[in-house]
């Protein structure tokens, strides 16, 4: 059985896989709405890389975050913004330098763990190149910034097999996504894959995998419109409540699923509740998370709990129970305290596992 699902052998060492630096002194301003896509880091022949996490050094000016809006990975030449979309702004950063993050162990948000939970190990898998794309928002970015990519670099088939064995997935291998709050579950199985560098992009987290396609999911959103007093706000792009790539309204049939494992909202005046609505019910029951007094779901820059000039961050909170959205409507929701919160003042973020069946 161990060979079928992967066997952990050699010690795993995390390394810096790619380092992308936007040098404002030489490149000038990144103008509003424009894209920066540096040359991708090419892997050598017979190498593959397993990406565990990113570190984003956001641009600032006089201690204030500049409008670096989106950052997303480009794996083997494919942009995966439908799965992973990091906020780039300093205040919203969910991938800061780990030593600046309060209680992060070992990093603020890790996409998976090499060699473990095989069918749910959503580390990104690359066999050709690692790149990123970054976009300025509605104003120019007028300072330097850096984006680093970390993980494991495997040199040759034997190195890869020392962690994963000779074969992964296949008959007898399965993992369950279980939503204890609703007693709902989804069992994930995949066709067997022989372990080799050339096949690594067919693993979970790879861009060439066969269905079911299992990928990490990371997304954030702003309230595009003001909230309506005492009414759930749903971040639904079709209703004008979120930008296209910030949509947090999921109308899934039996072919698609999302398991939310992390959820947070930055503290803002007059915001009272944060939760997940699945079908016609909100979670956690009965009244969602309270976020108006000592918000335990706060993420990003520690302000307003610490002074704004202290560069410490809170990680995106991990949910005690994950929430499964499958063959049902689901969405991240917030609610004010009876006083409307104006547009673009609420920042939510979530992360988990996306499955296309």
């Amino acid at each position: 059985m161990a060979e079928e699902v992967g066997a952990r052998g050699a010690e795993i060492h995390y390394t810096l896989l790619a380092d992308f630096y936007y040098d404002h002194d030489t490149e000038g301003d990144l103008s509003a709405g424009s894209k920066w896509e540096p040359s991708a880091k090419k892997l050598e022949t017979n190498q593959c890389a397993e990406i565990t996490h990113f570190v984003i050094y956001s641009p600032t000016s006089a201690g204030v975050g500049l409008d670096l809006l989106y950052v997303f990975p480009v794996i083997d030449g494919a942009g995966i913004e439908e799965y992973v979309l990091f906020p780039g702004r300093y205040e919203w950063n969910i991938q800061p330098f780990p030593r600046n993050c309060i209680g992060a162990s070992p990093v603020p948000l890790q996409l998976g763990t090499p060699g473990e939970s095989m069918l749910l190990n959503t580390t990104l898998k690359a066999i050709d190149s690692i790149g990123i794309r970054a976009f300025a928002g509605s104003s120019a970015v007028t300072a330097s910034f850096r984006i680093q990519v970390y993980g494991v670099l495997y040199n040759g088939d034997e190195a890869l097999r020392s962690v994963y064995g000779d074969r992964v997935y296949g008959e007898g291998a399965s993992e369950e996504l279980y939503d204890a709050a609703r007693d709902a579950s989804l069992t994930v199985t995949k066709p067997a894959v022989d372990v080799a560098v050339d096949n690594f992009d067919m693993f979970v987290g790879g861009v060439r995998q066969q269905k079911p396609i299992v990928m990490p999911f990371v997304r954030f959103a702003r309230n595009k419109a003001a909230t309506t007093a005492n009414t759930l706000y749903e971040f639904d792009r079709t209703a004008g409540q979120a930008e296209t790539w910030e949509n947090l309204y999921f109308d899934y049939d039996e072919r698609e699923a999302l398991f939310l494992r992390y959820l947070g909202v930055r503290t803002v005046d007059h915001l009272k509740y944060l939760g997940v609505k699945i079908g016609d019910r909100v979670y956690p029951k009965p009244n969602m998370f309270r976020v108006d007094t000592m918000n335990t779901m706060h993420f990003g820059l520690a302000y307003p709990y610490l002074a704004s000039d202290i560069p410490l961050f809170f990680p995106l909170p991990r949910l005690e129970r994950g929430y499964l959205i499958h063959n049902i409507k689901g969405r991240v929701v917030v609610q004010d305290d009876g006083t409307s919160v104006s547009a673009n003042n609420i920042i939510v973020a979530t992360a988990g596992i996306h499955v296309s069946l």
Side-chain angles (χ1 to χ4, degrees):
M1 179 62 69
E3 286 190 357
E4 290 295 317
V5 300
R8 182 166 181 163
E11 183 179 359
I12 294 173
H13 298 279
Y14 296 97
T15 188
L16 176 63
L17 297 171
D19 191 352
F20 304 104
Y21 181 61
Y22 185 90
D23 188 345
H24 180 260
D25 289 340
T26 59
E27 300 192 56
D29 293 353
L30 182 63
S31 58
S34 61
K35 175 182 71 173
W36 179 61
E37 185 171 6
S39 297
K41 169 68 176 179
K42 296 288 289 184
L43 299 177
E44 299 293 336
T45 303
N46 210 33
Q47 278 187 338
C48 60
E50 182 165 16
I51 298 166
T52 56
H53 62 284
F54 290 69
V55 176
I56 298 175
Y57 298 88
S58 299
T60 61
S61 177
V64 176
L66 299 175
D67 200 11
L68 181 65
L69 188 56
Y70 302 132
V71 176
F72 61 84
V74 179
I75 305 301
D76 295 342
I80 58 168
E81 62 268 37
E82 70 270 36
Y83 300 117
V84 178
L85 191 72
F86 296 118
R89 285 190 66 103
Y90 177 70
E91 294 86 354
W92 313 341
N93 196 349
I94 60 175
Q95 295 274 248
F97 182 56
R99 290 183 184 177
N100 288 66
C101 200
I102 300 168
S105 178
V107 297
L109 182 64
Q110 187 160 310
L111 299 177
T113 303
E116 296 182 1
S117 300
M118 292 296 300
L119 286 157
L120 302 180
N121 172 27
T122 53
T123 52
L124 296 172
K125 314 298 195 298
I127 65 171
D128 178 66
S129 62
I130 301 168
I132 58 99
R133 291 179 190 143
F135 289 81
S138 59
S139 58
V141 176
T142 58
S144 301
F145 59 89
R146 170 172 257 131
I147 297 153
Q148 295 179 325
V149 185
Y150 287 86
V152 182
L153 186 65
Y154 300 101
N155 287 287
D157 293 344
E158 289 308 311
L160 193 58
R161 289 170 185 151
S162 72
V163 173
Y164 285 102
D166 295 327
R167 210 174 193 215
V168 292
Y169 320 136
E171 185 177 354
S174 65
E175 293 276 2
E176 183 182 56
L177 297 170
Y178 180 62
D179 181 340
R182 298 168 50 241
D183 192 26
S185 65
L186 175 67
T187 299
V188 179
T189 62
K190 283 182 74 69
V193 177
D194 292 330
V195 175
V197 167
D198 289 345
N199 292 342
F200 199 47
D201 58 351
M202 298 175 67
F203 282 33
V204 165
V207 298
R208 201 165 57 95
Q209 60 182 299
Q210 297 181 46
K211 285 191 173 182
I213 297 169
V214 185
M215 295 291 285
F217 184 87
V218 183
R219 191 172 292 176
F220 74 101
R222 301 159 291 171
N223 62 315
K224 187 175 181 180
T227 64
T228 299
N230 297 314
T231 302
L232 289 180
Y233 188 97
E234 297 188 339
F235 301 96
D236 178 2
R237 67 177 179 84
T238 62
Q241 295 180 324
E243 300 293 345
T244 298
W245 288 114
E246 299 178 21
N247 182 55
L248 293 177
Y249 185 102
F250 312 104
D251 187 1
Y252 287 167
D253 60 19
E254 70 278 1
R255 297 168 296 180
E256 197 166 12
L258 179 62
F259 190 65
L260 297 180
R261 305 173 84 179
Y262 296 83
L263 180 65
V265 64
R266 287 191 54 77
T267 299
V268 62
D269 289 343
H270 299 297
L271 187 66
K272 189 173 184 178
Y273 295 115
L274 166 72
V276 179
K277 185 178 180 183
I278 304 174
D280 60 357
R281 297 188 177 183
V282 294
Y283 300 90
K285 295 188 289 188
N287 294 315
M288 303 182 286
F289 296 106
R290 284 289 296 267
V291 295
D292 53 345
T293 304
M294 290 306 297
N295 176 15
T296 59
M297 307 303 287
H298 184 84
F299 72 90
L301 188 68
Y303 178 80
Y305 301 104
L306 297 176
S308 61
D309 61 349
I310 297 177
L312 289 177
F313 297 79
F314 285 110
L316 187 62
R318 179 156 184 157
L319 296 167
E320 183 179 353
R321 297 176 174 182
Y323 295 106
L324 177 65
I325 303 169
H326 176 228
N327 202 21
I328 197 169
K329 291 183 175 69
R331 52 283 222 192
V332 173
V333 293
V334 294
Q335 186 173 310
D336 60 40
D337 63 2
T339 298
S340 176
V341 180
S342 57
N344 296 317
N345 277 303
I346 301 171
I347 314 298
V348 297
T350 189
I353 298 172
H354 187 277
V355 183
S356 297
L357 296 161

